[in-house]
Amino acid sequence: MRTVAFYVNMPSPYRINFFNLLGQYCNLYVFFEMDKSRTRDSSWQSYDFKNFHPVFLKGFSYSGEAAFCPSIIKQYKKINPDIIGIANPDVIFDNNLVKRIKELFASHSDYAVLSGFQLNIKGEIGDHPFWNNESSAFSLYMQQLIELLPYRVWGYKRHESYRNYLETVRHSTKELNRVWATEGSLFFIRTRDFEAVGMFDENVFMYYEENILAYKLHKIRKKVGVINTATYIHAHETNSNIIDSSIKARIESNNSREYYLRHYPLNNKLKYVFYKLLAKLCWYKQRLKQVIKKLCKKIFYCLKR
């Protein structure tokens, strides 16, 4: 039986029910940052652990529902799980997703990362179930060149092409579809592949950590896949606890993206400078379009009067 490990902040009634079900199919360890919530009622403080191994870590609490636990490294090395599942606290998924991931990992040894298809809280396809391919300088240059070309020359806009790609994969006849990178909110990764690429880049905390991981996995010829028949919901409810405004979130995202570009696909200074030049031209093009649009509105308004 495979060993699977989960790392979550604390026990909760719905999580314990899920882990008891999942534990019927694998040797399951669940690491908890805290033994109970400091902000919930008594129903969140009494649990029946039946089919899995709960491990309560010792750490430093920094809020009523989270703690920093360096001891996870020592505990992780003790059990050495075959598969690691990484999920945001605002993600909802069922046993079907975990069961299909386990089965597809067993039948597809060339895949290092698997995830389900992300839906929003309404059960609809989200904006970013998986990311654009940014694996090389060439793919990045092409993205900028597409933005620079006129609509009538290229024939379609990039965001429309991206949406069509999402819809194509969502309705694919294949259950398992290869993608560049999954969303970082939920994915499962083989431990041996995770260790082979040096795990996460610790210089990036939020945004693009999944891109960096995917980039390193592709370098060792490992694949990343999305399962069409297994979905999960990302509620996007708790991110504001980590970054308290959209402005800060954008700054964090931009900083992470710059780090990713400079240290991975554009790790050569000349490549990076050329990319920034193309990006600047795209910015000027967008500004010019806005100016022309405003000017046309003013002319139309004057003529109408």
Side-chain angles (χ1 to χ4, degrees), residues 9-271:
N9 59 338
M10 63 182 182
S12 60
Y14 60 89
R15 282 177 178 164
I16 300 306
N17 290 337
F18 167 74
F19 290 136
N20 280 329
L21 287 171
L22 178 60
Q24 298 175 15
Y25 300 94
C26 60
N27 183 27
L28 178 63
Y29 286 80
V30 181
F31 298 102
F32 296 104
E33 294 177 353
M34 307 176 71
D35 59 347
K36 60 185 177 182
S37 170
R38 307 291 187 264
T39 60
R40 307 282 181 159
D41 59 33
S42 58
S43 66
W44 282 56
Q45 300 178 13
S46 179
Y47 308 106
D48 185 12
F49 305 117
K50 293 179 181 178
N51 301 318
F52 66 96
H53 309 285
V55 180
F56 294 95
L57 302 170
K58 295 180 180 180
F60 309 97
S61 177
Y62 58 86
S63 76
E65 297 185 352
F68 173 62
C69 303
S71 59
I72 181 61
I73 298 172
K74 184 185 294 185
Q75 293 291 342
Y76 160 77
K77 289 182 178 179
K78 281 184 181 179
I79 65 168
N80 192 27
D82 302 313
I83 300 168
I84 300 174
I86 299 173
N88 283 13
D90 55 354
V91 160
I92 305 165
F93 59 96
D94 60 16
N95 192 50
N96 174 59
L97 182 143
V98 179
K99 184 179 178 182
R100 292 305 300 137
I101 283 176
K102 177 186 173 184
E103 293 171 350
L104 288 169
F105 263 136
S107 59
H108 294 78
S109 59
D110 52 341
Y111 277 82
V113 172
L114 292 179
S115 181
F117 205 91
Q118 179 179 280
L119 305 176
N120 60 27
I121 194 65
K122 297 178 181 179
E124 302 167 340
I125 298 175
D127 292 334
H128 296 289
F130 36 83
W131 298 108
N132 279 336
N133 186 341
E134 296 184 334
S135 59
S136 66
F138 177 77
S139 62
L140 289 161
Y141 295 156
M142 286 303 297
Q143 288 180 21
Q144 300 299 329
L145 289 171
I146 290 170
E147 292 287 351
L148 286 172
L149 288 172
Y151 179 87
R152 62 179 180 275
V153 173
W154 190 256
Y156 61 89
K157 294 180 181 178
R158 187 178 67 167
H159 74 272
E160 292 178 351
S161 171
Y162 180 47
R163 185 67 185 178
N164 290 337
Y165 175 62
L166 296 182
E167 294 290 352
T168 299
V169 175
R170 180 67 182 95
H171 299 292
S172 170
T173 55
K174 298 187 296 182
E175 180 180 25
L176 179 59
N177 291 272
R178 187 179 181 183
V179 297
W180 156 239
T182 65
E183 183 74 58
S185 55
L186 171 69
F187 64 88
F188 293 77
I189 183 170
R190 294 183 195 271
T191 303
R192 64 172 184 265
D193 296 325
F194 198 31
E195 292 176 341
V197 297
M199 301 189 180
F200 286 120
D201 187 324
E202 295 182 5
N203 293 297
V204 175
F205 171 62
M206 281 187 71
Y207 307 109
Y208 284 87
E209 72 278 5
E210 63 269 41
N211 289 53
I212 294 173
L213 183 62
Y215 180 91
K216 295 191 291 185
L217 287 169
H218 290 306
K219 285 293 183 183
I220 63 171
R221 300 185 181 281
K222 290 296 181 177
K223 298 178 181 178
V224 177
V226 167
I227 305 170
N228 285 357
T229 56
T231 60
Y232 69 93
I233 293 173
H234 190 190
H236 288 284
E237 292 175 345
T238 60
N239 290 347
S240 58
N241 296 329
I242 302 171
I243 296 181
D244 56 10
S245 76
S246 60
I247 296 175
K248 288 184 178 180
R250 178 160 297 201
I251 292 172
E252 184 74 22
S253 176
N254 288 340
N255 289 341
S256 297
R257 177 176 169 77
E258 286 297 307
Y259 177 87
Y260 166 69
L261 294 176
R262 294 194 71 161
H263 292 83
Y264 291 95
L266 302 176
N267 54 4
N268 179 286
K269 189 174 182 179
L270 186 60
K271 291 180 181 178

Side-chain angles (χ1 to χ4, degrees), residues 290-300:
Q290 291 173 7
V291 170
I292 293 173
K293 191 174 181 179
K294 287 181 180 178
L295 184 60
C296 289
K297 283 184 177 179
K298 287 183 179 180
I299 293 172
F300 177 77

